[in-house]
Amino acid sequence: MEYLTVSQTAERSGFSASALRYYEREGLIEATRTSGGQRRFHRQELRRLAFIAAARHVGLTLAEIREALALLPDGRNPTKADWTRISRSWRTRLEDEIAALEKLRDGLDGCIGCGCLSLQRCGFSNPGDVVAPRGPGAVFLPEPLRPDES
């Protein structure tokens, strides 16, 4: 079977039917319609959905995912070389995030293990909101772990 129903695609991809409809509206995946107007997804859309799942775990935004998918060829299944070319840029991003998580882990270990029992001297606290001029959010967190304000 070349085409899958919404429920088959949801089951195979791990995404909910509403997520599939959303990704279709956003232009990340494509569906055809039956004569009765029901969505059908070509089996190759499962590869795109797997890419979307991986990209979400890496932390790519919807716009970044759209840009990456736009680099894939039309009219043929992407090859390993196509996927490698697109995902190569993730390596630096993942390494930065891993380093930030390690810094966070090591900082929390030090804070928990230091024995000071005083949040006023703790590097992860902000008594009196003295770091407010540095901007919103958790400014002590390593940059890759801070929420994107855009």
Side-chain angles (χ1 to χ4, degrees), residues 1 5 10 39 43 63 67 76 82-83 90 107 109 111 150:
M1 176 191 304
T5 64
R39 282 181 179 84
R43 190 172 296 280
E67 286 174 25
R76 71 167 170 82
D82 293 325
W83 292 119
W90 296 2
D109 286 350
C111 180
S150 57

Side-chain angles (χ1 to χ4, degrees), residues 113-128:
C114 74
C116 74
L117 301 177
S118 170
L119 289 179
Q120 292 175 348
R121 293 193 312 238
C122 178
F124 286 107
S125 70
N126 183 17

Side-chain angles (χ1 to χ4, degrees), residues 31-137:
T32 60
R33 298 290 190 274
T34 65
S35 59
Q38 296 176 332
R39 282 181 179 84
R40 294 291 187 265
F41 293 98
H42 195 277
R43 190 172 296 280
Q44 74 185 21
E45 295 302 310
L46 293 173
R47 287 188 180 96
R48 286 179 166 266
L49 290 163
F51 175 85
I52 292 167
R56 287 177 44 206
H57 287 292
V58 172
L60 269 64
T61 65
L62 203 60
E64 290 171 317
I65 293 170
R66 185 179 295 107
E67 286 174 25
L69 288 172
L71 298 174
L72 291 175
D74 288 330
R76 71 167 170 82
N77 283 334
T79 64
K80 182 178 189 239
D82 293 325
W83 292 119
T84 300
R85 181 174 34 86
I86 288 171
S87 62
R88 191 172 289 133
S89 65
W90 296 2
R91 186 168 194 81
T92 301
R93 187 184 199 129
L94 283 171
E95 288 170 354
D96 290 346
E97 191 160 338
I98 288 167
L101 287 169
E102 287 173 344
K103 184 176 179 181
L104 176 62
R105 178 204 61 209
D106 294 346
L108 288 175
D109 286 350
C111 180
I112 294 167
C114 74
C116 74
L117 301 177
S118 170
L119 289 179
Q120 292 175 348
R121 293 193 312 238
C122 178
F124 286 107
S125 70
N126 183 17
D129 201 21
V130 295
V131 294
R134 291 174 61 184

Side-chain angles (χ1 to χ4, degrees), residues 19-36:
L20 297 176
R21 289 188 294 273
Y22 174 72
Y23 290 144
E24 182 190 8
R25 272 194 314 274
E26 291 296 315
L28 302 179
I29 60 174
E30 292 180 8
T32 60
R33 298 290 190 274
T34 65
S35 59

